[in-house]
Amino acid sequence: MTGPTKPINPRGTKYDRVEFPVFEFPVVGKARYNYTTGEALGRFLAGLKEGKILGTYCNKCGRVFVPPRMYCSYCFREVDGWVEARDEGVVNTAVMSYISATRARLERPVAVGVIKLDVPGYQFDDHFFPGLMHYICGASEDDVKSMKIFGARVKARWKPPEQRTGSITDIECFEVARP
Amino acid sequence: MTSRNINFKHRVAVVSAGMTLFRSRMLETPQELAWLAAKQALDEAGLTLKDIDCVVIGSAPDAFDGVHMKGEYLAEGAGGIHKPTIRVFVGGATGVFVPIAAWWHVASGLCKKVLVVAEEKMSHAAKPHTQYVFRYIWDPIVEKPLNPNLIWIFAMEMHRYMYKCGVKKEDIALVSVKNKRNACGHPSAQLCMPNITVDDVLKSEVLVWPVQLLDISPTSDGAVALVLASEEEARRITDTPVWIKGVGWTLDTTHWTNRDLAYPEYVRRAAEMAYRMAGIDNPRKQIDVAEPYDPFDYKELHHMEGLGLARKCEAPVLTREGVTQRDGDLPINPSGGLLGVGNPIAAAGLMKVAEIFWQIRGEAGARQVKKPVYTGLAQAWGDLMQAGTVIVMGI
């Protein structure tokens, strides 16, 4: 079944970064965005400032949304109301980052993961659940690498009220609960 | 939930393909790369630009090339001047979405011959690192303030998959080893590592555990092009057209923290749509060769399961047993995939479609799989675990 190799003599030229001149164009000034928080996330951020994790629910399909939406994206109808999630939950997945956002090597690795939150009066399977990405504190490299951290109970460590700004970073991290 | 929308007027064939080298830094501009691939595809079909009715361009985030409205920018190099031209864009899934969009141009009867071009140049975004431009795919309000790196999300998905399926890193590294070795047969390949071992992967730099440097495809520049034609035109152009038998695409929610990352729903739904159109009810038996999207080694396993080429959690077993080798019972990424040939995002996806075209025509040379190929599949995935695109081709 073997015929001629395609593609034949693919063209393109590799260049050496030292020898070939490049035209560098830096971003001029300080481009910044002002993102609209919107209806649902606006209220969610206000809740964080008060030390609450808020979500919305849809009575038709029974889903609870954290982060909240003002509409159920599955039933395509307005949500039926707001619920308060506990600031506790279990680790659904976790990783250990050794690099920064710019891919620089970090001095100390940080653990991050997805926290599946508890909402009183509701049960969730793994298929769809209220969940947030956040830092996990109090977890060693081994806890993450051995996957012992999966399923562990964690609780939000909040910033002091006067330092909160209405941001996801009002929660410093989710701390592993030690028995 | 599967799409019932399989009504179309014309059968559609791929009649030729062209491809540039994949390299980390190329001399050519994005437009020049697009032209090189497009010209090759036209020449192979014995056509000139005059014969082309419509042009479909694919390219992933504008931020890589550092040029906004990249479709318009690329149009000249892609042969799109004074023609109905459109750019499609679904992140990493773009590469397989370009021939899908071209397919509906022809299947609907709107165009008879379409030039399909995908290009990416990742090396322009040089400072502080190519990684940094991925910052803008995160949710600006609940995720970006945490200062994420793109690899976080894939590490989280990989670790969840490992946890749920009990997969060891050694088994996942086998994919990287297989693909980087397979790439040695590819004339365009960026990484050919004939002697790479599982140990090399496990000892490479840890970026975001469990993801290490050799678990990831390289950043690349490159372009790929195809010519698609209606049945009547295809029979005039070539004696061996390769038919597009089924296409499928889906989008899941960007709220990825609300769902289980262990299984790729977005691929399953796209595959169901494509299989229904192609009349496939047992993909494991009916697909002879597949090129699932492999920007990370675990992704090949994950996507095999989503495509129904393996049962849930079974893909690592098939890999360990050698089933997915080029001479195996179900060859997966015999080209070397993104891990070996390289990952110029949109071009890498279209490369997979071109590879299936060459495999079915028996033109893949050293990469040709050992068994006869009647039906092949290419798939790509993109964004925050959400976009899935699948194409099934055959004789």
Side-chain angles (χ1 to χ4, degrees):
Chain A
M1 285 294 285
T2 49
T5 299
K6 294 283 179 71
I8 299 158
N9 297 327
R11 286 177 61 188
T13 321
K14 190 185 173 167
Y15 73 82
D16 190 298
R17 67 180 68 198
V18 185
E19 284 174 15
F20 192 79
V22 293
F23 177 74
E24 185 164 317
F25 182 78
V27 174
V28 180
K30 290 185 176 173
R32 304 239 169 196
Y33 288 88
N34 285 328
Y35 291 106
T36 304
T37 59
E39 285 184 38
L41 287 178
R43 191 149 162 194
F44 174 72
L45 295 179
L48 291 174
K49 212 168 171 180
E50 294 168 22
K52 291 178 184 167
I53 299 174
L54 298 178
T56 54
Y57 63 89
C58 171
N59 276 339
K60 197 171 173 202
C61 64
R63 285 185 173 88
V64 174
F65 301 103
V66 181
R69 287 70 130 170
M70 57 169 288
Y71 50 85
C72 172
S73 34
Y74 297 86
C75 306
F76 224 57
R77 60 192 283 278
E78 196 171 343
V79 291
D80 294 290
W82 288 78
V83 281
E84 186 178 339
R86 293 175 70 197
D87 63 350
E88 290 180 37
V90 295
V91 175
N92 175 265
T93 182
V95 302
M96 207 81 201
S97 183
Y98 292 81
I99 54 172
S100 73
T102 57
R103 208 226 175 270
R105 204 80 196 150
L106 290 174
E107 263 178 47
R108 288 178 55 208
V110 291
V112 284
V114 173
I115 316 302
K116 179 177 166 182
L117 295 164
D118 299 340
V119 181
Y122 289 91
Q123 294 283 329
F124 307 104
D125 58 17
D126 284 338
H127 196 62
F128 193 95
F129 53 85
L132 288 178
M133 175 177 80
H134 220 298
Y135 294 105
I136 297 169
C137 38
S140 69
E141 285 178 69
D142 181 63
D143 289 340
V144 175
K145 290 188 175 182
S146 66
M147 299 194 206
K148 268 187 284 187
I149 192 82
F150 282 75
R153 285 209 71 78
V154 288
K155 185 173 171 37
R157 186 200 283 171
W158 294 88
K159 279 185 182 163
E162 64 278 9
Q163 286 177 25
R164 293 184 204 148
T165 58
S167 160
I168 190 74
T169 56
D170 288 351
I171 297 171
E172 282 178 13
C173 56
F174 279 84
E175 198 159 26
V176 182
R178 297 286 172 196
Chain B
M1 293 294 278
T2 311
S3 172
R4 301 277 179 259
N5 179 22
I6 55 167
N7 308 305
F8 48 89
K9 278 176 96 166
H10 298 282
R11 292 177 79 203
V12 184
V14 182
V15 295
S16 70
M19 177 174 182
T20 68
L21 283 177
F22 281 9
R23 287 295 182 271
S24 62
R25 289 170 76 82
M26 294 269 259
L27 178 71
E28 289 82 3
T29 64
Q31 293 159 319
E32 288 167 347
L33 286 171
W35 181 80
L36 285 172
K39 187 75 172 80
Q40 238 181 59
L42 285 174
D43 286 350
E44 196 191 306
L47 300 174
T48 68
L49 192 55
K50 277 190 188 149
D51 303 311
I52 297 295
D53 303 317
C54 302
V55 175
V56 180
I57 298 170
S59 194
D62 293 340
F64 281 114
D65 279 19
V67 178
H68 190 48
M69 311 269 281
K70 214 163 105 187
E72 285 78 345
Y73 169 76
L74 275 178
E76 209 167 291
I81 301 302
H82 294 172
K83 289 187 196 296
T85 300
I86 191 169
R87 170 210 187 182
V88 294
F89 163 46
V90 279
T94 303
V96 175
F97 199 51
V98 214
I100 291 175
W103 171 87
W104 76 56
H105 278 66
V106 180
S108 65
L110 184 71
C111 311
K112 287 185 172 150
K113 286 168 292 212
V114 179
L115 183 58
V116 184
V117 183
E119 183 278 340
E120 211 76 56
K121 188 155 181 132
M122 296 177 80
S123 59
H124 278 166
K127 289 173 185 174
H129 191 271
T130 311
Q131 267 294 326
Y132 203 60
V133 301
F134 278 123
R135 196 175 173 73
Y136 292 92
I137 83 166
W138 295 92
D139 184 281
I141 295 167
V142 297
E143 292 172 348
K144 216 190 286 176
L146 298 170
N147 222 3
N149 181 293
L150 187 74
I151 299 172
W152 282 15
I153 192 174
F154 308 123
M156 286 185 213
E157 194 182 58
M158 176 170 169
H159 222 190
R160 179 75 194 166
Y161 174 66
M162 287 168 67
Y163 175 75
K164 201 91 188 261
C165 290
V167 186
K168 291 195 165 57
K169 279 220 65 183
E170 287 82 345
D171 286 334
I172 291 176
L174 280 172
V175 174
S176 193
V177 169
K178 167 177 72 72
N179 293 4
K180 287 181 199 298
R181 287 185 180 191
N182 278 353
C184 294
H186 203 302
S188 295
Q190 182 171 348
L191 294 181
C192 151
M193 300 174 141
N195 301 315
I196 188 177
T197 62
V198 167
D199 220 34
D200 295 333
V201 180
L202 298 181
K203 281 183 180 153
S204 63
E205 184 189 356
V206 180
L207 301 174
V208 182
W209 183 268
V211 174
Q212 291 173 258
L213 191 65
L214 289 177
D215 290 315
I216 308 188
S217 55
T219 57
S220 325
D221 304 348
V224 176
L226 306 177
V227 174
L228 264 54
S230 64
E231 178 158 17
E232 197 186 17
E233 296 287 337
R235 300 242 186 246
R236 267 185 223 145
I237 294 166
T238 176
D239 293 334
T240 48
V242 171
W243 303 102
I244 295 178
K245 302 249 170 165
V247 296
W249 67 99
T250 48
L251 203 62
D252 206 335
T253 160
T254 51
H255 288 98
W256 60 277
T257 59
N258 294 147
R259 50 192 158 94
D260 200 351
L261 301 175
Y263 181 74
E265 267 298 303
Y266 49 89
V267 173
R268 182 181 70 82
R269 288 173 189 271
E272 271 178 11
M273 178 176 164
Y275 290 157
R276 187 168 188 278
M277 206 182 285
I280 286 176
D281 48 23
N282 185 351
R284 176 73 176 81
K285 293 277 175 259
Q286 289 163 280
I287 302 286
D288 301 312
V289 58
E291 288 269 340
Y293 203 57
D294 61 326
F296 295 83
D297 43 13
Y298 81 95
K299 268 299 189 186
E300 175 174 307
L301 306 171
H302 210 234
H303 288 155
M304 279 171 67
E305 292 170 17
L307 291 166
L309 298 174
R311 289 191 299 272
K312 281 186 183 177
C313 304
E314 191 199 23
V317 181
L318 297 182
T319 304
R320 202 183 322 126
E321 288 171 353
V323 174
T324 62
Q325 292 287 343
R326 198 185 272 148
D327 56 1
D329 182 44
L330 179 63
I332 301 286
N333 284 321
S335 67
L338 276 58
L339 288 162
V341 186
N343 184 10
I345 309 176
L350 194 56
M351 173 264 287
K352 290 182 168 293
V353 182
E355 285 296 323
I356 296 299
F357 171 73
W358 289 319
Q359 286 285 352
I360 290 172
R361 301 234 292 193
E363 294 176 344
R367 322 189 287 291
Q368 191 68 41
V369 303
K370 302 300 171 213
K371 61 179 205 171
V373 178
Y374 305 105
T375 307
L377 173 151
Q379 171 257 329
W381 140 83
D383 302 344
L384 295 168
M385 322 338 210
Q386 58 178 151
T389 48
V390 176
I391 195 163
V392 178
M393 291 153 73
I395 51 171

